[in-house]
Amino acid sequence: LTPFVFLLGLGIGPVAIDAQQLLYLLPSLLNDALLSPLGLGNAAVHDPALSSLHIIIMDIRLPRTLLAWLVGAGLAISGAAMQGLFRNPLADPSIIGVTSGASLGASIAGVVIANGIGVGGAEQWGGLSILVMGAFIGGLLAVLIVYRLSTASSDGVTSNSTSVATMLLVGIAITALAGAGNSLLAYIADNNTMRSMSLWNMGGLDAANALRVKLAGSIIIPAIFLLMCFSRQLDAMLLGESEAKHLGVDVQRVKWALIVIVAIAVASSVALAGVIGFVGLVVPHMLRMVIGPSHRRLLPYSALAGGLMLVMADIVARVIVSPAEMPVGVITAILGAPLFIFLLRQRRDYGMY
């Protein structure tokens, strides 16, 4: 379904592009998409009407659809990895504090730093807004704090192992602390800044461009392949940490590697597209009911289905209040929450229940 939905993402929007026009433009689109980075693209489209459609696709819809797929894939496979690590199908990437940390980082960048130096939160530095950079740094710092506190014993001395239960509790505490920080910053922010932060926290792909797609691809695609390399270790850890150690798994190294990879993937996704919920929770949860708990299949299928889900959600976000658009995070929450409740009510015995 991915190619079909991808073409829908290119054709559906306030300006409708039918299948015949899309197929006619496809060769020139492929030429520009593949050769423009080399300075060899810019295929001519002689029909003025089709030329304007070509610009709409290349400058708006293609970057937006690609970014939606990459972010959805990164969030979904990260959720599958966290569910395996915590041995809990209700876990999602935000459980280690990365989403709340990214949100607080963006708030600090927009309210404190930007206002302090006299620039707007959307000020472009090297093609990226200060909110993007603040969110990425905030997400990584939050995960670093969670991991550091989870590997410390009661006397403050760092231990040799990390407790996933302690990590869960510390993640909840960091999430609550970050929420309090966001509320404080919203209280002191001016109306324009507070509105921009509220919209960013709803998640959106309206700022998608070629630079964001390149950044997302250079971070999320390697993260997807790295996470798939840990499928055997995650399968072993479903039996328990002690059993996994007896099977030859370096549990502490696997924990550290998974947390770092997920933190980078999710922090970049939140930084580039805002806070988008339920993708990392619902997609792997649903797939586990269909294909089973084996991570050799669950991880790649989660990436494909997550990208598919977010592209479809973005299509709905474009047309539901056209010509305006709804934040895609609102769509994923509206669709994801009832679906998740339905899945929970099935009460089927699968995987980690």
Side-chain angles (χ1 to χ4, degrees), residues 242-280:
S242 59
E243 288 80 359
K245 289 180 182 178
H246 289 304
L247 291 172
V249 176
D250 187 344
V251 174
Q252 185 64 18
R253 185 186 68 85
V254 170
K255 288 180 187 177
W256 180 85
L258 288 174
I259 290 170
V260 169
I261 297 170
V262 167
I264 293 174
V266 176
S268 61
S269 297
V270 175
L272 295 171
V275 180
I276 298 176
F278 283 97
V279 176

Side-chain angles (χ1 to χ4, degrees), residues 43-116:
V45 178
H46 300 290
D47 189 331
L50 292 178
S51 178
S52 63
L53 297 181
H54 181 276
I55 294 173
I56 290 173
I57 294 176
M58 285 301 302
D59 293 347
I60 300 175
R61 293 187 186 172
L62 181 60
R64 183 169 181 148
T65 304
L66 285 172
L67 184 62
W69 192 93
L70 289 168
V71 169
L75 292 175
I77 196 172
S78 297
M82 288 295 97
Q83 291 174 7
L85 176 63
F86 286 92
R87 300 189 298 279
N88 189 334
L90 303 181
D92 74 339
S94 64
I95 203 169
I96 56 176
V98 58
T99 303
S100 57
S103 179
L104 179 60
S107 298
I108 293 173
V111 177
V112 179
I113 299 177
N115 290 340

Side-chain angles (χ1 to χ4, degrees), residues 90-349:
L90 303 181
D92 74 339
S94 64
I95 203 169
I96 56 176
V98 58
T99 303
S100 57
S103 179
L104 179 60
S107 298
I108 293 173
V111 177
V112 179
I113 299 177
N115 290 340
I117 62 178
V119 300
E123 182 77 10
Q124 298 292 312
W125 289 359
L128 292 176
S129 73
I130 190 172
L131 298 183
V132 171
M133 293 182 285
F136 184 75
I137 295 172
L140 293 183
L141 286 178
V143 174
L144 179 62
I145 293 171
V146 169
Y147 186 82
R148 178 64 181 82
L149 293 178
S150 302
T151 55
S153 60
S154 59
D155 59 359
V157 179
T158 302
S159 62
N160 293 324
S161 63
T162 304
S163 168
V164 292
T166 303
M167 193 182 305
L168 171 62
L169 296 174
V170 174
I172 293 173
I174 294 298
T175 298
L177 184 62
N182 272 324
S183 299
L184 176 61
L185 291 171
Y187 178 76
I188 65 175
D190 58 60
N191 290 335
N192 290 334
T193 303
M194 185 168 63
R195 175 173 172 78
S196 66
M197 292 308 307
S198 297
L199 291 174
W200 186 87
N201 280 309
M202 295 178 190
L205 298 161
D206 52 296
N209 54 34
L211 175 61
R212 294 194 178 206
V213 171
K214 291 176 184 178
L215 286 174
S218 62
I219 296 173
I220 295 174
I221 291 177
I224 290 173
F225 285 104
L226 287 173
L227 288 175
M228 287 194 293
C229 293
F230 288 92
S231 58
R232 291 181 181 271
Q233 292 89 333
L234 284 169
D235 284 344
M237 292 182 69
L238 292 181
L239 303 172
E241 291 188 15
S242 59
E243 288 80 359
K245 289 180 182 178
H246 289 304
L247 291 172
V249 176
D250 187 344
V251 174
Q252 185 64 18
R253 185 186 68 85
V254 170
K255 288 180 187 177
W256 180 85
L258 288 174
I259 290 170
V260 169
I261 297 170
V262 167
I264 293 174
V266 176
S268 61
S269 297
V270 175
L272 295 171
V275 180
I276 298 176
F278 283 97
V279 176
L281 178 63
V282 172
V283 171
H285 189 97
M286 180 172 57
L287 288 175
R288 188 175 283 106
M289 299 179 68
V290 177
I291 66 175
S294 173
H295 289 88
R296 294 186 65 183
R297 293 202 301 167
L298 182 62
L299 291 176
Y301 273 97
S302 293
L304 288 171
L308 195 69
M309 176 181 176
L310 196 55
V311 172
M312 291 190 296
D314 183 50
I315 293 173
V316 175
R318 295 183 215 169
V319 300
I320 193 170
V321 290
S322 181
E325 67 178 60
M326 188 174 291
V328 70
V330 176
I331 301 297
T332 59
I334 292 174
L335 299 178
L339 177 60
F340 189 61
I341 294 172
F342 171 77
L343 293 175
L344 289 178
R345 290 182 59 85
Q346 298 304 301
R347 299 184 183 277
R348 292 175 53 183
D349 184 22

